[in-house]
Amino acid sequence: MNIQKVEQQTVVFNDAFAKKANSLIPTIYKERIRPKQIVEIVEDSKVIHGWRTEQVREVSDLQEIEFGKGDSVIVDFGDHEVGYVTLKLKSAGSPPDAPLHVKLTFGEMPVEVAEPFSSYDGWLSSSWLQEESVYVDVLPHILALTRRYSFRYVKIDIIDTSPKYRVIIDDTYCDAVSSAQLSDVYSYTHEDSVLAEIDQVSIKTLKDCMQEIFEDGPKRDRRLWLGDLRLQALANYNTFATNDLVKRCLYLFAAVPNDKGQVAANVFIQPSLIADDTYLYDYSLFFTTTLHDYYEETKDEETLKELWPTAYRQLELGLARLDERHIVQDDETWWSFIDWNDKLNKQAPSQAVLIYALRKGIALAQIVGACELAFLEKQLADVEKATKAHLWDETKQFFVSGKNKQVSWAAQVWMVLAGVLKQDEGRALMERVITEKPPVTMNTPYMYHHFVEALLKVGMNTEAIKTLKAYWGGMLEDGADTFWELYNPNDKTFSPYGSHLINSYCHAWSCTPTYLIRKYEL
Ligand code: RAM
């Protein structure tokens, strides 16, 4: 073990864990995909973001078009792809007497190839927007892009040739990459065609996020986040079953905790394994729950024993945030995630995540025969008692959060998932949420996943299916090839980052319907 100083945080690097993670680097499979059609972007106020595509030519026509200065074309690959794009370029007319200047823009959604990226003014780096400008000195040329892109549409802008020559795009393809193979998926067809499609698109979403790690999104952030990993792992068990990738990701987190033993909210694997200096209360606790789910699936005792100290430490740190009443302390910072919603108070939902994690931790402690078992059981009892005493509002009949006693969907959902209430009380609470519609709602498929799972937990299957169809089905109706990072049906341009241009439209945490449909046999 050696100590690494990263800015203000100290990371305690565990070499053995990092080596184990490295020994599990998956094979990356490649598939060559060619575009399906040439399209044009059409303004349409009736569709999401105000843009749709329309086929204008057959893709086979591409080789016949001679492009000059200012021309452009949009090729549509027909589905979401993650990979490396190649263009075969040649000239027409006089010998090329000047370099070719070409700009490429990649879009998961039509809006990304419709609106100029110069219009972006969000707070995340604009460098996530997928474009590049290339100068080609000699033609013919095989332009093989070295950056990996995540897209369905590629807009090719010919910035300049020269007055004497034009350029022809002789061929274009994408070498799509993933560590998952669709042929490995457990075969399953739902008789309900909407649920069947939702299941398939969930799997495609998961596949495109499965690279050397479970990425959160292949466009952005292209890294391993714990909250996303937890859900990807669940979806994976019922589909690809590449359980070693889950194991690898658990070891990656366990290899780089800080000096308190807390695992980071996310890690980078390039240029080498690095813990990000972001720590989130709920995400750290999900290390324990993800290990629990992994063990349940694999019965891999060796991994459980090796990672138990890390899992237990997350519980200890979670408990250390409790005040003298056994209620988790709130603050104004981004201390816990829960959902992307500026208005959401995180206290009550985070308290519920702690309870949820304690239960799974106790199950693990029993399996490993840990001496900490009795301590954890006592803590769980105290925390549950305090939750009912201080966070349940008898008049409102809801759990309340923070000093302003906020009633949010997230708080109720997480309390149900944490098992704080008996089955019939939980059901009554979920029914109340649906009828009374608390004002602090949900913005992400991540939070909607928890809502649906809470409904299933209390036996409200009809409502759960209705939500799956309305929410994920809504994305399909709005043109999703893979499910999105953000989706608010009442505000379809919602972005926590200040612009929907930077949103990710293939995002791992939205891939869970396949888990919900298959696991709960909906
Ligand atoms: C976003 C990422 C990621 C998520 C974090 C909290 O930046 O999209 O998926 O886990 O937020």
Side-chain angles (χ1 to χ4, degrees):
M1 247 187 238
N2 63 330
I3 308 271
Q4 248 178 31
K5 203 73 185 141
V6 186
E7 299 267 336
Q8 303 99 333
Q9 66 161 348
T10 304
V11 166
V12 182
F13 197 91
N14 185 318
D15 245 337
F17 285 0
K19 280 204 182 96
K20 193 154 253 181
N22 276 344
S23 72
L24 296 164
I25 295 176
T27 307
I28 299 290
Y29 302 100
K30 275 195 190 156
E31 196 187 343
R32 186 154 291 182
I33 316 270
R34 289 195 155 75
K36 304 289 180 288
Q37 52 179 351
I38 297 176
V39 296
E40 195 172 81
I41 295 288
V42 184
E43 208 165 348
D44 184 344
S45 59
K46 290 190 290 300
V47 302
I48 192 160
H49 307 142
W51 304 101
R52 63 179 167 79
T53 58
E54 214 169 76
Q55 178 173 5
V56 283
R57 296 185 76 153
E58 299 292 326
V59 74
S60 52
D61 290 350
L62 198 57
Q63 288 159 306
E64 286 154 27
I65 310 173
E66 295 183 5
F67 295 100
K69 178 175 179 156
D71 290 339
S72 78
V73 65
I74 298 173
V75 290
D76 173 5
F77 277 74
D79 202 352
H80 188 269
E81 305 300 344
V82 178
Y84 298 88
V85 168
T86 297
L87 301 179
K88 289 193 176 167
L89 304 166
K90 67 181 186 192
S91 65
S94 300
D97 57 338
L100 163 72
H101 182 191
V102 57
K103 187 178 136 196
L104 300 149
T105 310
F106 297 83
E108 293 182 319
M109 291 290 284
V111 65
E112 292 158 276
V113 288
E115 292 176 14
F117 290 164
S118 53
S119 67
Y120 172 74
D121 65 351
W123 59 270
L124 282 186
S125 173
S126 60
S127 60
W128 285 116
L129 299 168
Q130 306 181 98
E131 63 180 345
E132 72 180 270
S133 185
V134 184
Y135 291 85
V136 178
D137 289 313
V138 180
L139 288 168
H141 179 69
I142 298 179
L143 177 59
L145 300 180
T146 53
R147 296 191 74 210
R148 197 195 74 191
Y149 287 104
S150 179
F151 64 96
R152 169 171 169 170
Y153 307 100
V154 186
K155 182 172 185 212
I156 305 162
D157 282 302
I158 309 301
I159 309 297
D160 216 340
T161 49
S162 91
K164 294 183 70 183
Y165 83 95
R166 290 163 306 285
V167 66
I168 292 173
I169 304 165
D170 218 12
D171 192 10
T172 172
Y173 53 82
C174 167
D175 285 326
V177 289
S178 169
S179 56
Q181 285 186 296
L182 285 178
S183 53
D184 290 341
V185 175
Y186 294 129
S187 105
Y188 176 88
T189 325
H190 205 286
E191 55 192 28
D192 180 309
S193 63
V194 179
L195 290 182
E197 195 184 350
I198 291 176
D199 178 64
Q200 289 309 305
V201 174
S202 301
I203 292 168
K204 169 73 172 150
T205 306
L206 179 59
K207 173 181 182 247
D208 284 1
C209 294
M210 283 171 72
Q211 302 294 335
E212 284 198 8
I213 48 169
F214 281 103
E215 291 183 11
D216 62 332
K219 167 183 160 186
R220 207 212 82 243
D221 300 331
R222 299 174 63 153
R223 78 185 68 137
L224 176 61
W225 282 88
L226 238 169
D228 304 67
L229 168 65
R230 166 173 160 260
L231 298 187
Q232 284 169 297
L234 290 174
N236 166 67
Y237 298 139
N238 291 280
T239 53
F240 298 103
T242 52
N243 301 344
D244 271 358
L245 192 59
V246 181
K247 177 172 171 181
R248 165 168 154 76
C249 292
L250 285 167
Y251 275 99
L252 286 172
F253 278 110
V256 285
N258 67 11
D259 53 351
K260 290 198 220 77
Q262 185 171 13
V263 295
N266 70 87
V267 299
F268 305 93
I269 54 162
Q270 295 291 350
S272 58
L273 174 60
I274 298 170
D276 191 14
D277 52 3
T278 299
Y279 292 86
L280 294 168
Y281 186 81
D282 49 349
Y283 274 30
S284 296
L285 288 167
F286 289 143
F287 180 87
T288 314
T289 74
T290 308
L291 179 62
H292 170 273
D293 302 342
Y294 170 78
Y295 177 78
E296 277 299 296
E297 186 64 27
T298 60
K299 303 289 178 227
D300 173 356
E301 277 185 33
E302 191 190 318
T303 299
L304 171 59
K305 287 210 176 101
E306 219 165 33
L307 296 183
W308 165 250
T310 311
Y312 176 67
R313 186 66 190 140
Q314 307 319 301
L315 299 175
E316 275 188 322
L317 291 166
L319 290 165
R321 205 185 157 97
L322 298 178
D323 63 16
E324 61 297 337
R325 300 171 305 160
H326 286 98
I327 298 296
V328 72
Q329 294 175 56
D330 196 13
D331 72 43
E332 297 299 310
T333 66
W334 195 47
W335 63 279
S336 188
F337 175 61
I338 308 294
D339 196 14
W340 277 123
N341 186 338
D342 282 346
K343 296 195 187 78
L344 177 65
N345 181 279
K346 312 289 174 72
Q347 185 188 47
S350 302
Q351 176 97 0
V353 171
L354 173 65
I355 297 170
Y356 177 87
L358 279 171
R359 276 194 217 290
K360 299 216 170 194
I362 286 170
L364 291 183
Q366 279 160 347
I367 298 156
V368 291
C371 57
E372 298 93 350
L373 177 61
F375 168 76
L376 289 176
E377 284 172 340
K378 166 83 174 68
Q379 292 296 316
L380 174 62
D382 291 348
V383 176
E384 276 203 278
K385 201 167 147 212
T387 303
K388 287 185 191 147
H390 302 289
L391 299 182
W392 175 253
D393 188 314
E394 196 49 40
T395 327
K396 293 185 174 141
Q397 291 286 300
F398 280 123
F399 286 98
V400 293
S401 185
K403 62 176 182 319
N404 295 328
K405 301 200 177 308
Q406 180 187 83
V407 177
S408 64
W409 289 58
Q412 321 312 316
V413 162
W414 268 110
M415 287 294 177
V416 168
L417 290 175
V420 174
L421 302 174
K422 292 199 213 81
Q423 169 92 1
D424 55 332
E425 293 168 344
R427 189 181 176 117
L429 180 63
M430 293 307 288
E431 277 165 359
R432 219 170 297 127
V433 168
I434 291 168
T435 16
E436 293 190 27
K437 300 187 178 39
V440 183
T441 54
M442 308 177 285
N443 278 330
T444 56
Y446 175 78
M447 195 54 229
Y448 268 85
H449 159 83
H450 295 112
F451 175 63
V452 175
E453 193 150 40
L455 292 172
L456 293 169
K457 192 172 154 80
V458 297
M460 293 171 67
N461 288 33
T462 311
E463 202 57 53
I465 293 171
K466 204 172 126 195
T467 308
L468 278 176
K469 286 187 172 182
Y471 189 75
W472 279 271
M475 280 190 251
L476 290 179
E477 277 169 25
D478 281 330
D481 301 301
T482 46
F483 290 126
W484 306 336
E485 175 189 19
L486 287 318
Y487 186 58
N488 181 340
N490 301 314
D491 172 11
K492 291 185 181 173
T493 59
F494 171 76
S495 171
Y497 316 116
S499 163
H500 55 271
L501 274 177
I502 206 114
N503 288 0
S504 151
Y505 294 94
C506 173
H507 213 71
W509 69 20
S510 66
C511 76
T512 59
T514 185
Y515 155 76
L516 296 165
I517 292 168
R518 291 171 183 232
K519 165 94 193 292
Y520 291 90
E521 298 177 7
L522 299 182

